[in-house]
């Protein structure tokens, strides 16, 4: 099936007499008459459902849809995007080991990598996109377990050069993890360009309606853990779970099976079935929403470029943008719905612009059907030092616009009138 059809029909296949629409299974537990059935499922949870902390029929159908959209071999939904990122890393790295991460990350992710993971004994080595391959490779040692990127950095708007980073990861035998939240599989499918694991904050475009916090991890099934000395824990019996060996139990899906049988079971970051049900409904219109928001964003980026009160605009769909050629290489069907720009006059005028908007609302969110705005330096990235703000590509005059699916003329009018008043 093509992307658009998977959005509408993927993940759930009703049998004769079943509900046509994916049902909401609002239940914590499941009945089995025979004790042997229950015992079998405890040995192999992938064969059915025991308890909704581990898996749920509604969530499973939604997971299958996202796996199909990304072209993976399995997925695991979580209670938030941050929990998806956390588990994606914990599933690979242990105490005393490290990951590589680009420095231009979403503020919450940067804080996780710089502060929280080191408290657990997992260090992060940050690199800049403009470093040479040799400089980046010099950071890799025998304890490096992953390289982490965003398809497009939030809000620095740096487009990931998949071919470059996939080559580095393959050379050193490390897992390539990509956050595909802002691009979505409608625009970019990272597994087609060498990524091994994909994460999403499903709170954003997958849900699309600002109704459900959630996350999801997708396994590409394209990394060979067996025989790789970096990933012995995938290849030896797990004493915490009946001595299962994940490369044997999961095969190509060893990564996602391990994530579920270890971290979902023990840490319980599962989504509610209701949130999975709502998010699945959101994904049914993903392709329609992404087409519209991308078209709107490109038109508004061009409008902002022409305004005398705007110092600069970053949007990969603009010809002349630093990352336009890379976006042309990897993106399909447009360039996404987020853009950032700098207002002349610095921080004060950037904040005044937000005050003058009428239709576009200031919220701590992006990727909604409704357009929204934020000043990153004083909100999502306020926990960062001035030095870290610079590393993340955040300037005092930066305004982040997440464009919705409203009429583009109404959005243009609101932006123009706000700029006229500062």
């Amino acid at each position: 099936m093509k992307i658009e059809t998977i959005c509408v029909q993927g993940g759930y296949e009703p049998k004769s007499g079943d509900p046509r629409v994916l049902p909401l299974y609002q239940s914590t537990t499941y009945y089995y008459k025979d004790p042997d059935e229950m015992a079998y499922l405890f040995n192999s949870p992938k064969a059915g459902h025991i308890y909704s902390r581990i898996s749920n029929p509604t969530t499973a159908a939604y997971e299958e849809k996202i796996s199909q959209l990304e072209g993976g071999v399995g997925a695991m939904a979580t209670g938030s995007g941050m929990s998806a990122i956390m588990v994606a890393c914990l599933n690979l790295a242990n105490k005393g080991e490290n990951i590589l991460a680009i420095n231009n990350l979403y503020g919450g992710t940067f804080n996780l990598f710089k502060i929280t993971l080191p408290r657990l004994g997992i260090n992060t080595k940050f690199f800049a996109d403009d470093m040479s391959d040799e400089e980046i490779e010099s950071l890799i040692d025998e304890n490096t377990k992953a390289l982490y990127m965003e398809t497009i950095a939030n809000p620095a708007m740096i487009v990931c050069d998949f071919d470059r980073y996939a080559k580095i990861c393959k050379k050193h035998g490390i897992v390539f993890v990509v956050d595909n939240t802002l691009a979505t599989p409608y625009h970019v499918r990272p597994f087609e360009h060498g990524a091994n694991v994909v994460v999403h904050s499903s709170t954003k475009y997958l849900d699309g309606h600002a109704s459900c916090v959630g996350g999801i991890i997708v396994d590409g099934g394209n990394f060979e853990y067996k025989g790789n000395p970096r990933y012995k824990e995938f290849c030896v019996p797990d004493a915490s779970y009946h001595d299962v060996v994940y490369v044997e139990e999961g095969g190509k899906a060893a990564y996602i099976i391990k994530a579920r049988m270890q971290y979902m079971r023990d840490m319980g970051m599962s989504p509610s079935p209701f949130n999975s049900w709502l998010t699945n409904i959101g994904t049914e219109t993903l392709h329609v929403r992404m087409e519209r928001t991308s078209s709107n964003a490109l038109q508004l980026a061009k409008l902002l470029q022409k305004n005398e009160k705007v110092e600069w605009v970053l949007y990969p769909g603009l010809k002349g943008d630093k990352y336009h050629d890379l976006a042309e290489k990897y993106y399909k069907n447009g360039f996404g719905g987020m853009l950032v720009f700098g207002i002349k006059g610095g921080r004060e005028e950037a904040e005044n612009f937000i005050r003058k908007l009428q239709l576009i609302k200031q919220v701590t969110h992006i990727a909604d059907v409704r357009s929204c705005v934020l000043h990153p330096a004083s909100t999502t990235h306020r926990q960062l030092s001035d030095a870290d703000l610079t590393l993340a590509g955040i300037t005092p005059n930066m305004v982040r616009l997440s464009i919705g699916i409203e009429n583009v003329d109404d959005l243009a009018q609101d932006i123009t009138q706000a700029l006229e008043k500062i």
Side-chain angles (χ1 to χ4, degrees):
M1 294 186 292
K2 304 296 185 184
I3 286 285
E4 296 85 350
T5 307
I6 296 172
C7 285
V8 179
Q9 297 209 32
Y12 174 63
E13 183 66 34
K15 298 183 177 69
S16 182
D18 282 353
R20 181 63 188 93
V21 176
L22 174 66
L24 168 59
Y25 290 92
Q26 190 65 50
S27 179
T28 63
T29 192
Y30 309 90
Y31 164 71
Y32 296 95
K33 184 177 181 179
D34 192 327
D36 289 340
E37 289 184 272
M38 185 76 77
Y40 175 75
L41 290 175
F42 269 96
N43 282 334
S44 186
K46 67 182 181 181
H49 306 286
I50 304 169
Y51 193 63
S52 281
R53 184 182 78 244
I54 300 172
S55 65
N56 168 277
T58 302
T59 300
Y62 156 61
E63 290 168 340
E64 175 59 21
K65 176 183 285 187
I66 304 306
S67 181
Q68 290 178 14
L69 285 171
E70 288 287 10
V73 297
M76 186 180 80
T78 61
S80 71
M82 290 307 304
S83 62
I85 297 168
M86 181 78 163
V87 172
C89 295
L90 292 179
N91 201 37
L92 296 167
N94 300 306
K95 183 178 180 180
E97 297 173 336
N98 64 79
I99 62 174
L100 302 186
I102 194 168
N103 53 16
N104 302 95
L105 293 169
Y106 162 65
T109 307
F110 186 90
N111 195 69
L112 169 69
F113 287 164
K114 185 176 182 182
I115 305 296
T116 304
L117 284 178
R119 288 172 178 168
L120 302 178
I122 300 170
N123 291 317
T124 303
K125 298 179 181 181
F126 290 101
F127 64 89
D129 190 58
D130 59 2
M131 290 170 62
S132 69
D133 291 0
E134 291 74 20
E135 289 174 310
I136 295 172
E137 290 181 61
S138 71
L139 301 174
I140 299 172
D141 59 35
E142 63 181 6
N143 292 317
T144 302
K145 304 302 280 289
L147 187 150
Y148 187 96
M149 297 282 294
E150 294 172 341
T151 303
I152 185 164
N154 173 19
M157 304 300 287
I158 294 173
V159 174
C160 175
D161 187 344
F162 286 97
D163 289 348
R164 178 192 184 197
Y165 293 110
K167 183 178 179 180
I168 291 172
C169 288
K170 189 172 183 179
K171 178 180 177 180
H172 294 273
I174 58 177
V175 175
F176 186 15
V177 184
V178 175
D179 183 335
N180 199 33
T181 297
L182 289 184
T184 81
Y186 180 72
H187 289 311
V188 181
R189 302 179 84 194
F191 296 142
E192 295 178 354
H193 306 294
N196 306 121
V197 175
V198 162
V199 296
H200 285 267
S201 171
S202 60
T203 316
K204 310 305 190 298
Y205 285 122
L206 296 183
D207 168 43
H209 298 82
S211 62
C212 301
V213 173
I216 194 163
I217 309 169
V218 189
D219 183 355
N222 56 353
F223 189 89
E224 185 57 66
Y225 296 94
K226 192 172 184 178
N228 188 321
R230 292 185 189 274
Y231 304 99
K232 295 178 181 178
E233 62 271 23
F234 284 81
C235 308
V236 297
D238 179 4
S240 78
Y241 208 97
H242 311 300
D243 286 335
V244 65
V245 178
Y246 292 110
V247 293
E248 296 175 0
E249 178 71 19
K252 289 185 177 181
Y255 175 90
I256 207 69
I257 293 295
K258 180 175 180 289
R260 190 179 301 277
M261 295 171 81
Q262 285 186 341
Y263 293 100
M264 183 60 78
R265 184 201 62 194
D266 289 351
M267 301 177 73
M269 71 297 291
S270 52
S272 76
F274 185 57
N275 277 12
S276 295
W277 185 75
L278 284 176
T279 305
N280 183 72
I281 290 175
T283 62
E284 292 175 355
T285 60
L286 176 67
H287 56 297
V288 180
R289 291 184 284 105
M290 295 309 296
E291 181 180 22
R292 180 61 173 269
T293 188
S294 180
S295 171
N296 282 355
L298 180 57
Q299 292 183 66
L300 294 173
K302 292 177 178 178
L303 176 78
L304 286 164
Q305 271 190 322
K306 298 174 182 177
N307 194 291
E308 62 180 11
K309 295 185 180 179
V310 174
E311 186 175 339
W312 50 264
V313 181
L314 299 181
Y315 183 70
L318 292 171
K319 293 181 180 179
D321 184 271
K322 181 179 179 180
Y323 296 97
H324 180 70
D325 289 344
L326 275 180
E328 284 273 301
K329 179 179 180 179
Y330 296 118
Y331 275 62
K332 300 176 182 178
N333 312 312
F335 303 95
M338 194 180 85
L339 60 91
V340 297
F341 64 100
I343 291 181
K344 294 178 181 177
R347 184 188 194 113
E348 182 178 353
E349 291 291 29
E351 293 178 349
N352 282 337
F353 166 77
I354 292 175
R355 293 186 184 101
K356 300 300 182 182
L357 289 168
Q358 298 171 355
L359 178 64
I360 301 172
K361 301 295 191 289
Q362 178 183 220
V363 297
T364 310
H365 193 52
I366 52 174
D368 188 1
V369 291
R370 290 159 285 267
S371 296
C372 53
V373 65
L374 207 65
H375 181 243
S378 61
T379 54
T380 54
H381 291 68
R382 69 176 294 110
Q383 76 272 24
L384 303 187
S385 66
D386 289 344
D388 285 341
L389 283 172
T390 300
L391 285 175
I394 310 298
T395 60
N397 70 336
M398 177 187 283
V399 172
R400 184 183 74 182
L401 274 177
S402 174
I403 305 304
I405 62 173
E406 303 95 338
N407 183 285
V408 70
D409 293 336
D410 291 333
L411 297 174
Q413 190 278 329
D414 192 33
I415 291 169
T416 301
Q417 67 83 24
L419 287 169
E420 287 175 350
K421 293 176 181 176
I422 64 172

